[in-house]
Each structure stands twice: as C-alpha cells, then as structure tokens.
Amino acid sequence: MRSLLFAANWKMHLGPADTRAYMSTFLAEYQERPDRQVWFFPPAVSLETVSTAVRGRASMLAGAQDIYWEPKGAFTGAISGPLAAQAGARAALVGHSERRHVFGETDADTGRKVAAALSADLYPVLCVGETLAQRDAGDTLKVVTRQLEAALPPPGRVDPRLTIAYEPVWAIGTGRNATPKDAAEVHRAIRSWLKDRAAGQTRILYGGSVNLKNAAELLAERELDGVLVGGASLDPHGWAELVRTGVA
Ligand code: 13P
C-alpha cells in the first residue's frame, strides 16, 4: 500500500485557543487511515495543544516549525530541540524557505539544525527549493543539490528518520504550484542523490500552493510521498478533506 504524508505548516497562525477549536473540528471530521500520516507544524506556543489533541493517534504528530541548534542557554526568543520535544514535538521543519529568505538562515545553519533535531529525537523535515531567478537561470538542480549537501554532509549515512520537502520558493503562497511533472523531475534528482547515500527510501514531499483543487493531480505523481501545505491547511474542514484526497 502506498503510504502518504500530509504535513500542515501553519506558519504564524493559530494560537492555543484557536488550535483547540481547530483540532476538535479536524478530529471530528477525519477518520485515521493506515495509509495516511498527518503531521501538524503549529507555532511553538501551540505545540503542546496539538500534541495533547493527537495523543494516542498513531498516524498523527506535532512538530516544531524551527529549532535552534544549541540545546539550551542564553538565546532569547529561540527554542531548542529538547524544549520542543518537552512541549510534545516529535518532528521539526528545518530550512523552510521563510527561515532562509526572511530570517537569513544559511545552508550551514540547516546542517546544524538537522543534527540538533536528530539528537533531540525529532524527525527532521529538511526543506529545499530554488527561487524563480534560479529556476529561470536553469540552476534548480544545482541549488537543491547544494542545499542537500550543506544540510546532510558526510561522513556517515543519511539518517532514516529524515524527510525532505521540495518547496520551490516561487510556488510558496503564490497560488502558482509546480506542475506534477516539474515536481517529479526535481524529486527524481533528490532521490538519486539520496540513493547514492544509501537513503533511497527517504520520503520526499512537495510543497508550494497545494490546495484541494490540485492535491489529487499532484499526488497521482508517484514521485511524491506526500505534501507540505501552508495556507490550505489553516481551515480544519478543508484540511480534513485534503487529507482524504483520493489518489489514483
Ligand atoms: P502554501 O501552501 O501557503 O503555498 O505554503 C507552502 C509552504 O511553505 C509550506 O511549508
């Protein structure tokens, strides 16, 4: 059975009270299925609310949108892997395009964060993707490979707890998704990079303007192991429907 991962990145939306209402609606509308996993990435203040709501549901978990690589200390405003885990997180996004482009996170930072997530026993979801200028210059694969190499440097094999999310920057929040064919081409390149590191089983998600209208078409492409969704995950009814999306 093909198993799919549906990841919701709420970004800077839904505090604890909104999250309680969201989770009660979502859980009332969505029946767990063995071939679907649903991962929620709420803002840090709502992690504990999500993790409490999904407790006992094997196919669901809560994850942090970002972690700092030091485990503790004088780092005002940051949360560490162990702190996120204490709030119930079991996964962490690393290197999301907004972290890279709004907050100036570097490739080197993503490497430290992947390692920090693993040492806190969190599943890292490493986000990679090119800007429009890089795509137009024909540099997509070069950029994505550079991001992979920086975040997952040798020595050692790629950890099986890792997930990759391919999110082209030009498709995020723009309403312009990559076509299934374009996404598949990049996924194939990422998979071949991973295969060379004995990690061909690593899940690769697509993200960027995924919504109820295009999810089935995107997921019909077998290179996609799931989706990472921003805007269309903010409404619990729509998200429940999206996670139920029938796939050919
Ligand atoms: P949108 O689905 O809103 O385009 O955001 C994608 C994203 O950045 C998910 O991490």
Side-chain angles (χ1 to χ4, degrees):
M1 190 180 358
R2 182 173 175 225
S3 170
L4 293 173
L5 170 53
F6 292 78
N9 176 9
W10 292 352
K11 308 191 180 184
M12 205 166 70
H13 301 279
L14 304 176
D18 296 337
T19 296
R20 267 187 292 281
Y22 178 111
M23 292 309 293
S24 93
T25 304
F26 177 79
L27 294 172
E29 291 193 15
Y30 176 70
Q31 293 288 318
E32 279 192 284
R33 294 170 43 157
D35 62 340
R36 307 255 151 135
Q37 287 192 12
V38 191
W39 293 10
F40 294 93
F41 293 90
V45 292
S46 301
L47 264 175
E48 195 169 4
T49 309
V50 174
S51 66
T52 302
V54 301
R55 190 168 295 152
R57 295 175 200 262
S59 68
M60 299 182 195
L61 60 74
Q65 293 177 8
D66 179 45
I67 55 167
Y68 190 57
W69 54 81
E70 293 291 345
K72 62 181 175 191
F75 302 104
T76 301
I79 63 163
S80 66
L83 289 183
Q86 203 178 117
R90 295 180 52 210
L93 297 181
V94 175
H96 188 277
S97 127
E98 286 139 25
R99 299 300 318 172
R100 294 177 192 261
H101 298 286
V102 181
F103 297 98
E105 191 163 306
T106 65
D107 283 339
D109 294 344
T110 64
R112 296 187 192 103
K113 290 183 178 191
V114 168
L118 290 169
S119 63
D121 228 357
L122 301 172
Y123 299 112
V125 179
L126 172 68
C127 305
V128 296
E130 81 287 3
T131 63
L132 189 56
Q134 290 165 333
R135 169 159 286 252
D136 288 345
D139 286 341
T140 298
L141 300 184
K142 197 168 92 188
V143 169
V144 166
T145 306
R146 189 203 73 218
Q147 291 170 333
L148 291 172
E149 272 164 6
L152 309 169
R157 54 191 290 275
V158 171
D159 194 286
R161 289 171 290 176
L162 178 80
T163 297
I164 304 285
Y166 169 55
E167 297 204 303
V169 179
W170 48 270
I172 295 177
T174 58
R176 182 183 160 200
N177 60 287
T179 63
K181 194 169 144 283
D182 286 344
E185 188 187 334
V186 182
H187 281 222
R188 264 192 292 278
I190 294 172
R191 204 174 301 283
S192 123
W193 188 92
L194 290 162
K195 264 191 197 141
D196 290 345
R197 285 149 188 84
Q201 299 305 311
T202 305
R203 279 189 290 207
I204 307 173
L205 314 180
Y206 167 76
S209 295
V210 177
N211 57 37
L212 265 173
K213 287 202 187 90
N214 60 23
E217 190 196 4
L218 282 160
L219 286 167
E221 171 52 65
R222 309 289 289 188
E223 275 293 336
L224 273 61
D225 299 311
V227 283
L228 176 56
V229 183
S233 72
L234 290 176
D235 163 47
H237 307 281
W239 181 237
E241 203 178 328
L242 203 155
V243 178
R244 282 195 299 264
T245 296
V247 180

